[in-house]
Amino acid sequence: MDEKLLFPEGAALIFGATGGIGRAVALEFARSGSDVAVVWRSKREAAESLAREIQSLGRRASVHACDVTDTAAVDATVAAAVAAHGRVHTMVWGAGPLADQVYLAETSDAQWRRAIDVEVHGFFNAGRAVIAHMRGAGGGSIIHLGSAGDLRWPDKDGLSVAPKAANEALVKGFAREEGRYGIRANTVLVGVIEAGMFLELTRQGVFDEEWTREVHKNLALKRWGKPEEIGYAAVFLASSNAAYVTGQQIAVAGGYGI
């Protein structure tokens, strides 16, 4: 019996692929049988290294530079990925700046605008561009890497949680309006993962032992998540195994918020 294909021909387009979580997601798509379009902004060497690793797994990879705050650049990136692979069957949104840990009332205008420009405007523009392609390509899947803070507010993490909460509404809107074209949209709510922003802020001393103890109190599973565990959930939501799933959230957060 032939092995079940999880994806149609084409690629998964990963925004934020050079981050710790984004890289793991990209590799999991490759391991699961999909080609990958890697999007980077400032880490060209990391993007090219990731592409080589994807190719070593027997899949095709392309590399695309993009400033997601530039609408024309986002449109061009989607077009370039389609040109390289023939089709984008999935878009994963994992782009986002390092979120300063600050109370909402102490957030500067510049910090707030940056978070909204990248996370919300970027996701909207990327979603709009890829939907225009997917409508004529037989459908597709949009995966938003959101925040487990959507389940229970984490103090000082508003620059990450609030923009991603706006995107949760966009996910539902995309799912509702585009389902008629075979386009699905879902979210992976990301908990504390041993990669990316968590590791960087830990190195900076932002997350100390007291912070760790307090967060562990709110976890059912008393450990941090692994980046590949986000990849497993993203691949499931994008795959034919989730063909009747749209407008939903899967929390990969160790039971945070229960």
Side-chain angles (χ1 to χ4, degrees):
M1 182 179 293
D2 292 339
E3 183 179 356
K4 179 181 179 182
L5 294 177
L6 296 178
F7 311 105
E9 291 298 316
L13 173 63
I14 316 291
F15 284 91
T18 57
I21 293 175
R23 180 180 180 279
V25 170
L27 289 173
E28 197 56 38
F29 270 95
R31 293 188 184 101
S32 300
S34 176
D35 295 340
V36 181
V38 173
V39 182
W40 63 279
R41 184 185 67 84
S42 61
K43 300 177 181 178
R44 180 171 185 166
E45 291 184 3
E48 292 175 345
S49 174
L50 174 59
R52 288 192 294 271
E53 189 165 355
I54 290 167
Q55 291 162 355
S56 75
L57 295 170
R59 306 307 311 183
R60 292 181 61 235
S62 60
V63 176
H64 309 272
C66 183
D67 178 350
V68 300
T69 65
D70 183 336
T71 302
V74 172
D75 291 344
T77 294
V78 172
V82 172
H85 299 277
R87 177 180 180 181
V88 170
H89 60 70
T90 297
M91 182 194 81
V92 177
W93 181 259
L98 186 69
D100 295 331
Q101 300 296 290
V102 58
Y103 289 115
L104 288 172
E106 298 168 8
T107 300
S108 71
D109 288 350
Q111 288 172 319
W112 180 251
R113 289 194 179 106
R114 174 65 174 164
I116 295 299
D117 280 347
V118 174
E119 292 270 17
V120 183
H121 296 161
F123 177 58
F124 173 77
N125 290 329
R128 182 174 58 181
V130 80
I131 284 169
H133 161 66
M134 288 177 174
R135 280 180 174 181
S141 176
I142 295 171
I143 308 295
H144 171 241
L145 301 187
S147 172
D150 199 56
L151 304 173
R152 183 182 187 277
W153 186 266
D155 290 350
K156 295 186 176 184
D157 200 25
L159 286 169
S160 176
V161 178
K164 291 180 186 296
N167 286 351
E168 294 302 328
L170 288 173
V171 167
K172 290 181 174 61
F174 290 152
R176 176 65 184 177
E177 295 179 359
E178 302 303 322
R180 72 193 73 183
Y181 300 103
I183 299 170
R184 300 181 297 108
N186 294 285
T187 288
V188 178
L189 295 178
V190 178
V192 181
I193 304 298
E194 289 183 307
M197 188 173 74
F198 169 67
L199 293 182
E200 178 59 30
L201 291 176
T202 298
R203 281 192 289 267
Q204 293 178 12
V206 175
F207 298 147
D208 56 17
E209 291 185 7
E210 181 181 357
W211 181 91
T212 298
R213 286 193 298 271
E214 288 303 310
V215 174
H216 269 197
K217 290 178 183 178
N218 294 313
L219 298 180
L221 303 177
K222 304 301 184 182
R223 67 171 177 86
W224 304 136
K226 300 175 182 178
E228 58 267 29
E229 291 174 315
I230 303 301
Y232 302 152
V235 165
F236 166 70
L237 287 174
S239 75
S240 58
N241 288 331
Y244 204 51
V245 178
T246 195
Q248 303 302 308
Q249 298 175 328
I250 292 181
V252 182
Y256 182 82
I258 295 175

